[in-house]
Each structure stands twice: as C-alpha cells, then as structure tokens.
C-alpha cells in the first residue's frame, strides 16, 4: 500500500517557514544538500533541476500534494507547474480552477482522496506542505522525513498547524558536520 510521507524542511523548533512565508533560512549548500539531491531528486522543482544537475529519477514519490499557500509560492514567481515530473495536486477551497493543466485541484475532502490514492499501485505520495494541509491530513501521514536545520526560528509557520499527539518511531538518522539532520520517522498507529 502506498504511504503518505511528509517530507519537509524545518527548524530545530519545528517551523517550516517564517510568518511571511520566507524560506531563506534553509540553506541549499553543504554536504547534506548534495545527499538530498541524490536521495530525493524528485523533490527538486523543475525550474531548478537543470541548474542543480538533478536526474529525472523518481526514487520515492510519484505524486505530490500541496496546500494552496505552498502552491502559491511557485505561482508568485511564475511557476504554475513546479513538479511536472510528478502527478501534482493542490488542495484549496478558495480556488475555483487550477491555473495549470498539469496540476489537479482538490476542493473537498482531501482525506478521502488520500485514502483512495493509497489503495492504488505506485510510489509513495509526498505531502509537500504546508502546516495547514498537514493538519488536515495528520491522521493519514504514515512517514515523516524531517530536514532539520540547526537553528531556532522562534516563530513562524508550524510543521503541523494544530495540536497533534502521535508517537513516532525513528527509523533512520543522518547527521552532518554542519548540524543538519535528516530524520526518518514512521507514525505509530
Ligand atoms: N520548509 C518546507 O519544506 C516547506 C514546504 C512546504 C511549504 N512551506 C511553506 O509553508 C507555507 C505555507 O504553509 P501554510 O501552512 O501557511 O499553508 P498550506 O498548508 O500550504 O495551505 C493552506 C491552504 O490549503 C488549503 N487546505 C488545507 N486543508 C484543506 C482542506 N481540508 N480542504 C480544502 N482545502 C484545504 C486551504 O486553501 P484555501 O484557503 O484556498 O481554501 C488552506 O488555506 C509557505 O510559506 C511555504 O513556503 C515550507
């Protein structure tokens, strides 16, 4: 059965972006970043893949699901199909139509949609973010892969935008000299 994996960059205190949505705190330099390119090539947006010499392999995911505000980060710079190498889904009640034929819009009940998708064959589903969509899908998240950077943001957009209690089993931890950690957890049901 396919899994839903929340693969996301966060600060040590669990924020995924500044209050205004800025992501500048998360560096794209260092050993950890090269490992991310090699291990999760499908999570690099199309407009950066050539510049970063990323292959087109889909190693873990064939589908990405994004909340409307996460999707808008790309739209605001003219990128309406950020992951054209994947099946792309944006979740929003306020959008009346997708601005791009390669991006599907789900307006209602993303939980039911995820449950249906899990029953299909294929690679896993990448929950790209953000915290609000993660809150909506919290009961369906099977795996968390946290790209944790060694700083405190203090305030910002949280990993999950509601109070969720869940035991996690640490499956793998990669440590880097620069303090970055890649943490792989499964959610215990
Ligand atoms: N650090 C990282 O790796 C990372 C990854 C992804 C995103 N981010 C950052 O996260 C920020 C966005 O996160 P966010 O938490 O503010 O927003 P978000 O989760 O991206 O989007 C929230 C929106 O998704 C829609 N939505 C969520 N649940 C829904 C449901 N059950 N039914 C229908 N629609 C639903 C709603 O859209 P409508 O209001 O249109 O109805 C809601 O306002 C951005 O700044 C982005 O840069 C960071």
């Amino acid at each position: 059965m396919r899994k839903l994996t929340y693969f996301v960059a966060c600060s040590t205190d669990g924020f995924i972006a500044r209050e205004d949505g800025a992501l500048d705190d998360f560096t794209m330099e260092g050993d950890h970043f090269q490992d991310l390119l090699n291990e999760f090539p499908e999570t690099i947006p199309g407009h950066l893949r050539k510049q970063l010499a990323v292959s087109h392999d889909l190693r873990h995911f064939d589908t990405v699901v994004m909340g409307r505000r996460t999707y808008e980060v790309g739209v605001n710079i003219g990128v309406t199909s950020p992951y054209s190498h994947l099946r792309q889904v944006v979740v929003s009640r306020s959008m009346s139509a997708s601005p791009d034929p390669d991006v599907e819009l789900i307006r209602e009940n993303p939980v039911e949609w995820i449950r249906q998708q899990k029953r299909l064959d294929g690679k896993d589903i990448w929950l790209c973010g953000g915290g609000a969509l993660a809150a909506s899908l919290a009961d369906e998240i099977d795996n968390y892969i946290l790209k944790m950077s060694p700083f405190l943001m203090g305030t910002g957009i949280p990993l999950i935008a509601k109070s969720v209690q869940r035991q996690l089993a640490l499956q793998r931890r990669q440590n880097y000299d620069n303090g970055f950690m890649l943490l792989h957890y499964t959610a215990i049901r």
Side-chain angles (χ1 to χ4, degrees):
M1 190 152 145
R2 300 165 87 196
K3 305 287 189 196
L4 180 65
T5 297
Y6 191 16
F7 175 85
V8 67
C10 66
S11 62
T12 301
D13 53 351
F15 294 103
I16 63 168
R18 296 255 168 199
E19 300 274 13
D20 63 1
L23 296 166
D24 314 345
D25 298 292
F26 299 110
T27 173
M28 287 171 49
E29 288 170 5
D31 291 350
H32 72 279
F33 192 67
Q34 195 55 52
D35 274 5
L36 291 175
L37 294 182
N38 294 338
E39 199 172 334
F40 298 94
E42 64 270 58
T43 64
I44 304 300
H47 66 286
L48 297 177
R49 292 169 74 83
K50 194 169 177 188
Q51 169 192 337
L52 295 169
V54 177
S55 76
H56 283 77
D57 298 346
L58 306 186
R59 298 200 55 188
H60 302 270
F61 311 116
D62 60 17
T63 301
V64 58
V65 56
M66 301 166 269
R68 191 258 306 162
R69 289 198 287 268
T70 292
Y71 177 60
E72 280 182 353
V73 172
V75 172
N76 291 340
I77 57 166
V79 178
T80 57
S81 179
Y83 302 102
S84 58
H85 47 286
L86 301 174
R87 180 178 177 192
Q88 304 172 89
V89 175
V90 61
V91 182
S92 168
R93 289 189 190 90
S94 68
M95 291 168 69
S96 55
S98 168
D100 193 292
D102 285 345
V103 178
E104 298 165 49
L105 171 65
I106 290 184
R107 301 195 64 209
E108 296 296 335
N109 209 343
V111 169
E112 188 48 38
W113 183 84
I114 288 288
R115 287 181 182 154
Q116 286 170 5
Q117 296 304 309
K118 284 183 175 183
R119 291 194 285 267
L120 303 177
D121 288 337
K123 293 185 183 296
D124 288 345
I125 303 159
W126 171 27
L127 170 57
C128 179
L133 182 60
S136 293
L137 298 179
D139 289 343
E140 291 302 318
I141 300 175
D142 302 293
N143 301 314
Y144 291 79
I145 303 179
L146 304 183
K147 299 177 279 180
M148 187 179 281
S149 290
F151 68 91
L152 302 175
M153 200 177 281
T155 183
I157 296 174
L159 187 66
I160 303 182
K162 73 173 183 188
S163 174
V164 173
Q165 278 90 44
R166 184 69 35 88
Q167 291 293 314
L168 303 176
L170 181 65
Q171 302 294 345
R172 188 174 162 203
R173 178 181 58 211
Q174 291 157 262
N175 295 322
Y176 294 84
D177 288 346
N178 61 6
F180 180 93
M181 286 196 290
L182 191 60
L183 301 166
H184 302 240
Y185 296 99
T186 53
I188 298 173
R189 305 249 169 221

